[in-house]
């Protein structure tokens, strides 16, 4: 990937998220049945159905479903992609973007630039250099949050959830999940991924030309690796706190859902209670929204691809939550009518 081709990554990701979001948003609109509204909604509902929301169908339609336990594949892909990006950008940041802070003698120059002085072109260049370093280390920070998320979900899929042997999901939903856990880490890393890849290519080319014996030894200084992360701005730490808050609630909600089917061979469903289940039918989806809101804030909100990612998360989970909420209402006559689908007092 040449440096000049780098900016094409974010528009491509934005287009992909837009293409994935628009059909879901259109299916949620009150389009008349004569104009295909009911067909579109039914089609999207079928594509997004999984587990208890999969409607019984003919054997021919069943061919387009896969076992719900294939959810594991999403997180395997997510861990592989996120870990690869994290290692690549972390190596680039460590080698090229340390130290994070400028020398003390440069502070006055930066201050002059920030208050609007144009007298020192050097100060302007230095300020841009520091902003660039912050952006790269901020990306490392957000990818660390994503790594925590996908590793936890991988663990929960294996050890918390007990999928029924008959539980299925539509093949389109399965492919969408694989797309999501590939594109989401790429979106979080897109602001500096092209330059990191360019740097790695240069390192590999140098290694090929010089050979291992003539390459300098790589010495990892732990303080130099950790200090830049500790010196990031308030947005990153507020985002991290929101991320942790959402993660703790999602852990609790997943534990509640997992405990409902202690008998792994049973298809019996009961009404979940506890934690955010007292207010919404899909609190694990609500927690997911909180988690990605934390990532958005931690990213600084300056990357358009991360905004498109967050909009897709809201749209997709809201649609799925509405389907699940309707299923609960149809399944249980005594289901609490005070519960919302995903966002209290809103949806």
């Amino acid at each position: 990937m040449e440096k000049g081709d780098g900016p094409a990554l974010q528009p491509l990701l934005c287009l992909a998220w837009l293409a994935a979001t628009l059909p879901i948003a259109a299916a949620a609109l009150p389009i008349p049945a004569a104009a295909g509204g009911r067909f579109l909604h039914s089609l999207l509902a079928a594509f997004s159905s999984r587990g208890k929301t999969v409607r019984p169908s003919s054997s021919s339609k069943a061919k387009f479903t896969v076992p719900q336990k294939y959810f594991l594949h999403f997180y395997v892909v997510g861990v592989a992609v996120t870990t690869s990006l994290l290692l690549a950008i972390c190596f680039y940041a460590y080698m090229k973007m340390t130290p994070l802070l400028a020398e003390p003698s440069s502070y006055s120059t930066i201050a002059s630039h920030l208050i609007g002085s144009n007298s020192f072109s050097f100060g302007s260049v230095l300020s841009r250099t520091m902003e660039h370093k912050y952006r790269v280390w901020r990306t490392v920070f957000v990818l660390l949050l994503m790594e925590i998320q996908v590793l936890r979900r991988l663990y929960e899929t294996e050890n918390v959830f007990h999928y029924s042997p008959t539980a299925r999901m539509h093949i389109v939903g399965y492919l969408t999940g694989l797309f999501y856990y590939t594109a989401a880490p790429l979106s979080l890393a897109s602001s500096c991924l092209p330059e990191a890849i360019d740097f790695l290519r240069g390192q590999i080319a140098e290694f090929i030309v010089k050979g291992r014996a003539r390459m300098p030894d790589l010495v990892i200084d732990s303080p130099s690796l950790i200090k830049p992360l500790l010196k990031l701005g308030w947005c990153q730490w507020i985002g991290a706190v929101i991320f942790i808050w959402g993660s703790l609630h999602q852990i609790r909600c997943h534990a509640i859902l997992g405990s409902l089917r202690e008998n792994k061979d049973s298809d019996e469903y009961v009404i979940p209670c506890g934690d955010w289940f007292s207010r919404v039918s899909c609190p694990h989806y609500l927690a997911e929204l909180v988690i990605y809101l934390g990532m958005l804030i931690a990213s600084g909100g300056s990357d358009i691809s991360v905004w498109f990612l967050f909009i897709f998360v809201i749209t997709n989970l809201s649609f799925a939550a509405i389907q699940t909420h309707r299923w609960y209402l149809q399944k249980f006559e005594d289901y609490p009518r005070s519960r919302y689908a995903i966002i209290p007092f809103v949806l």
Side-chain angles (χ1 to χ4, degrees), residues 2 24 45 125 128 157 165 199 225 231 243 287 301:
E2 298 296 331
I24 303 174
V125 172
R128 288 197 298 270
T157 303
F199 173 76
L225 191 60
K231 294 182 181 296
F243 172 88

Side-chain angles (χ1 to χ4, degrees), residues 47-114:
F47 287 165
S48 63
S49 62
R50 53 182 177 266
K52 56 182 172 287
T53 61
V54 176
R55 297 177 181 178
S57 58
S58 65
S59 58
S60 61
K61 290 184 179 180
K63 294 179 181 179
F64 297 101
T65 64
V66 296
Q68 193 180 10
K69 64 181 181 181
Y70 281 13
F71 255 77
L72 178 68
H73 300 173
F74 300 162
Y75 309 120
V76 170
V77 169
V79 168
V81 175
T82 305
T83 303
S84 300
L85 294 173
L86 179 59
L87 290 175
I89 296 178
C90 190
F91 177 68
Y92 170 62
Y94 179 76
M95 297 297 290
K96 300 292 290 183
M97 300 294 157
T98 52
L100 181 59
L101 295 179
E103 295 298 324
S105 60
S106 301
Y107 289 166
S108 60
T109 307
I110 297 171
S112 298
H113 171 70
L114 292 177

Side-chain angles (χ1 to χ4, degrees), residues 198-270:
D198 189 69
F199 173 76
L200 289 175
R201 284 182 172 178
Q203 292 292 298
I204 293 171
E206 185 179 1
F207 179 84
I208 294 173
V209 172
K210 291 184 177 181
R212 174 66 185 88
R214 298 174 61 187
M215 290 290 291
D217 292 332
L218 177 63
V219 179
I220 302 296
D221 180 38
S222 298
S224 297
L225 191 60
I226 297 173
K227 281 182 180 179
L229 296 174
L230 299 178
K231 294 182 181 296
L232 293 174
W234 61 268
C235 272
Q236 284 66 58
W237 295 109
I238 290 179
V241 169
I242 294 173
F243 172 88
I244 293 170
W245 179 51
S247 297
L248 291 175
H249 279 285
Q250 192 172 65
I251 289 170
R252 293 172 189 165
C253 293
H254 283 168
I256 292 170
L257 289 173
S259 67
L260 298 181
R261 293 194 64 256
E262 294 181 353
N263 182 359
K264 297 182 180 181
D265 296 325
S266 173
D267 288 330
E268 182 180 355
Y269 290 98
V270 297

